[in-house]
Amino acid sequence: QVHLAESDGGSVQAGGSLKLSCAASGYTYPAYCIGWFRQAPGNEREGVAATWTGSGKVYYADSVKGRFTISRDSANNTLFHLQMNSLKPEDTAMYYCVADCTHSSVNGLTAPNGYWGQGTQVTVSS
């Protein structure tokens, strides 16, 4: 059974940093996509970052490019991180870790058959 567990989010002031982690278990495919999605109240869900374990390819939404970094833990290859720097109030959202995501130039980052974590709240105050 696939299980994804996000670390606690938090509250920071604009310009600050937070690091989210996602522990994945039970996923048997040798190579897969791990992504981070977010959703703020009243907004559509947005895929913000992803990494593909087989190729090492990474993806960032334009809204976070240059500020967020997704990585795989060097000591534990089932642990993934999202380093968020230069946070803005518009980054405030519930953040979800997802396994089995996909990307296309038309639809961006999606996870129609993905496995989702429970979500963790990130709040950025101005």
Side-chain angles (χ1 to χ4, degrees):
Q1 183 176 358
V2 178
H3 182 67
L4 301 170
E6 299 102 340
S7 61
D8 290 339
S11 298
V12 295
Q13 290 192 324
S17 298
L18 278 175
K19 184 176 183 178
L20 303 180
S21 297
C22 173
S25 62
Y27 203 80
T28 59
Y29 288 97
Y32 53 98
C33 171
I34 285 283
W36 288 91
F37 289 69
R38 67 185 182 186
Q39 188 165 22
N43 288 4
E44 292 188 357
R45 184 180 296 164
E46 178 188 18
V48 297
T51 182
W52 281 261
T53 62
S55 65
K57 172 186 170 183
V58 294
Y59 162 84
Y60 297 101
D62 288 343
S63 57
V64 306
K65 200 171 292 183
R67 301 188 297 121
F68 289 14
T69 303
I70 189 169
S71 64
R72 191 179 194 181
D73 194 276
S74 59
N76 180 352
N77 64 8
T78 62
L79 186 63
F80 300 84
H81 306 292
L82 183 68
Q83 178 66 45
M84 304 183 292
N85 298 329
S86 301
L87 283 162
K88 305 174 181 180
E90 51 264 43
D91 294 319
T92 295
M94 185 71 79
Y95 283 72
Y96 300 89
C97 176
V98 181
D100 196 6
C101 41
T102 186
H103 174 262
S104 73
S105 58
V106 174
N107 298 316
L109 187 67
T110 60
N113 301 306
Y115 300 90
W116 294 75
Q118 78 283 2
T120 188
Q121 179 68 37
V122 171
T123 302
V124 184
S125 57
S126 57

